[in-house]
Amino acid sequence: MILRPGQREQVLPLPVTLISTVSDDGTKNVAPWSNITPILRPLDEIVLASWIKRDTLENIRATGEFVVNIPPASMVEEVMICARNYPPEVDEFAEAGLAPRPSVKVRPPGVGGCLAWMECVLAEEIARENYSLVIGTVVHLETDDRCFNDAGEMDFERAEPLSVMLGREGMWFTRPVRSGRFARYAEMAAGRKG
């Protein structure tokens, strides 16, 4: 089957995150985000793509701060409430019944009940005609101890982090499961000439 290039999101499993920000006047905003990824391991930066007209982007530009929250699959209904197009003065934490979680190094609160919280500061915005790439530096990373081991690795079958597969008319919410194969990073270096 040949798909249009614009259908690329229909073949890529995507993470679901909640990005929390505050406006200059202190209004709390939280919005679901799937166009987000870490920038190369072991760097401390992430990148997210945003349409130009988003309250989240305006708040990041105004304050230089945001929190990337990792919701479990059990929060799918709250995620969908946050996906609605509210005016900028609406507190989406209140609309979705989410508990703000005090942050350590940034002003925006995290989202209580999530699996992990990445407090970020704006490092750079790369603006295009219709969208921007926002590069953030993670300045504080915290996890729910019940879902992570001592090395900081997520027990994703217990945690059930929310992910999504997009379709033509909607989306299927998913979560990762084990394939039965564990691979050490050293396997990728096998055969390299020193």
Side-chain angles (χ1 to χ4, degrees):
M1 172 182 295
I2 304 295
L3 299 177
R4 290 179 294 103
Q7 291 176 287
R8 78 261 179 255
E9 76 277 0
Q10 290 179 214
V11 299
L12 289 170
L14 299 169
V16 174
T17 67
L18 288 169
I19 296 184
S20 49
T21 60
V22 291
S23 65
D24 271 339
D25 69 4
T27 303
K28 294 186 292 296
N29 173 276
V30 60
W33 228 269
S34 288
N35 291 303
I36 186 167
T37 190
I39 299 177
L40 302 174
R41 190 177 38 86
L43 302 179
D44 60 359
E45 292 179 320
I46 61 166
V47 62
L48 61 95
S50 174
W51 291 112
I52 293 296
K53 300 208 182 268
R54 292 289 303 260
D55 296 340
T56 299
L57 179 59
E58 291 301 320
N59 291 345
I60 292 171
R61 287 172 170 162
T63 67
E65 299 179 330
F66 59 102
V67 180
V68 178
N69 305 272
I70 310 302
S74 61
M75 289 180 72
V76 67
E77 294 307 323
E78 291 87 343
V79 166
M80 286 305 300
I81 291 170
C82 292
R84 296 176 186 156
N85 191 15
Y86 295 102
E89 65 276 6
V90 172
D91 179 337
E92 283 136 340
F93 278 85
E95 291 295 320
L98 296 170
R101 179 184 189 276
S103 292
V104 174
K105 295 196 173 181
V106 297
R107 184 173 162 218
V111 176
C114 282
L115 304 168
W117 305 268
M118 288 181 252
E119 297 177 22
C120 301
V121 295
L122 176 62
E124 181 180 358
E125 179 183 353
I126 302 168
R128 297 289 188 252
E129 184 179 343
N130 296 321
Y131 67 93
S132 277
L133 298 178
V134 174
I135 298 173
T137 302
V138 179
V139 294
H140 184 77
L141 175 59
E142 193 167 337
T143 64
D144 180 338
D145 293 343
R146 296 172 298 174
C147 299
F148 289 79
N149 66 20
D150 291 341
E153 298 166 330
M154 181 188 287
D155 177 349
F156 57 84
E157 289 189 329
R158 178 178 184 167
E160 297 186 345
L162 190 58
S163 55
V164 68
M165 287 296 304
L166 304 181
R168 192 177 78 187
E169 296 182 22
M171 60 196 116
W172 291 101
F173 287 99
T174 61
R175 59 183 174 79
V177 295
R178 293 189 200 284
S179 69
R181 167 83 154 87
F182 174 81
R184 297 199 178 281
Y185 293 126
E187 289 183 52
M188 293 187 295
R192 265 194 202 164
K193 295 182 180 177

